[in-house]
Amino acid sequence: HVAESGGGLVQPGGSLRLSCAVSGDELALYAIGWFRQAPGKECEGVSQISGVDGRAYYSDPVKGRFTISRDANNTVYLQMNGLKPEDTAVYYCAAVWEIIPIQTLCAQYQYRGQGTQVTVSA
């Protein structure tokens, strides 16, 4: 139902764009979010976008650097600018019934992709 792409290796200060392909008409109005999991760290909700009104939400660590968007084909993008080493993680795309508190995104989703690795290193 959801599949991520676009991860890779980037230097600090660089940019990457992640994509989440959302399939199935039943998911057209779902909220789509991103969360990340780094080794030795707790899972962290990053961003969500509503399927109803397009509102976007961000966690404090990424606010002002990451931008989430959704196109007419129901593909969701996470544009990541000003990347820092602490952004290194596996990033997962997740579909949820509706917007939820972002810190709960790691555990409360209906569908999740396989994840894509983002590594920020010099």
Side-chain angles (χ1 to χ4, degrees), residues 14-69:
S15 298
L16 277 177
R17 189 177 79 160
L18 306 183
S19 299
C20 175
V22 181
S23 60
D25 292 340
E26 69 275 17
L27 299 189
L29 294 180
Y30 272 53
I32 302 296
W34 293 90
F35 64 87
R36 63 189 182 186
Q37 177 72 67
K41 294 185 180 180
E42 286 192 8
C43 183
E44 179 184 19
V46 173
S47 182
Q48 287 183 85
I49 186 165
S50 170
V52 176
D53 60 14
R55 282 190 176 187
Y57 302 84
Y58 302 94
S59 65
D60 286 343
V62 308
K63 203 171 291 182
R65 300 188 297 124
F66 291 11
T67 303
I68 192 170
S69 61

Side-chain angles (χ1 to χ4, degrees), residues 36-43 85-91 117-119:
R36 63 189 182 186
Q37 177 72 67
K41 294 185 180 180
E42 286 192 8
C43 183
E86 52 263 43
D87 294 318
T88 295
V90 177
Y91 283 70
Q117 177 71 46
V118 171
T119 302

Side-chain angles (χ1 to χ4, degrees), residues 52-105:
V52 176
D53 60 14
R55 282 190 176 187
Y57 302 84
Y58 302 94
S59 65
D60 286 343
V62 308
K63 203 171 291 182
R65 300 188 297 124
F66 291 11
T67 303
I68 192 170
S69 61
R70 191 169 190 158
D71 69 13
N73 294 321
N74 213 21
T75 297
V76 174
Y77 303 97
L78 186 69
Q79 178 67 42
M80 306 185 294
N81 298 329
L83 282 162
K84 305 175 181 180
E86 52 263 43
D87 294 318
T88 295
V90 177
Y91 283 70
Y92 296 90
C93 175
V96 293
W97 291 109
E98 59 186 4
I99 291 294
I100 58 176
I102 205 162
Q103 63 269 24
T104 68
L105 188 57

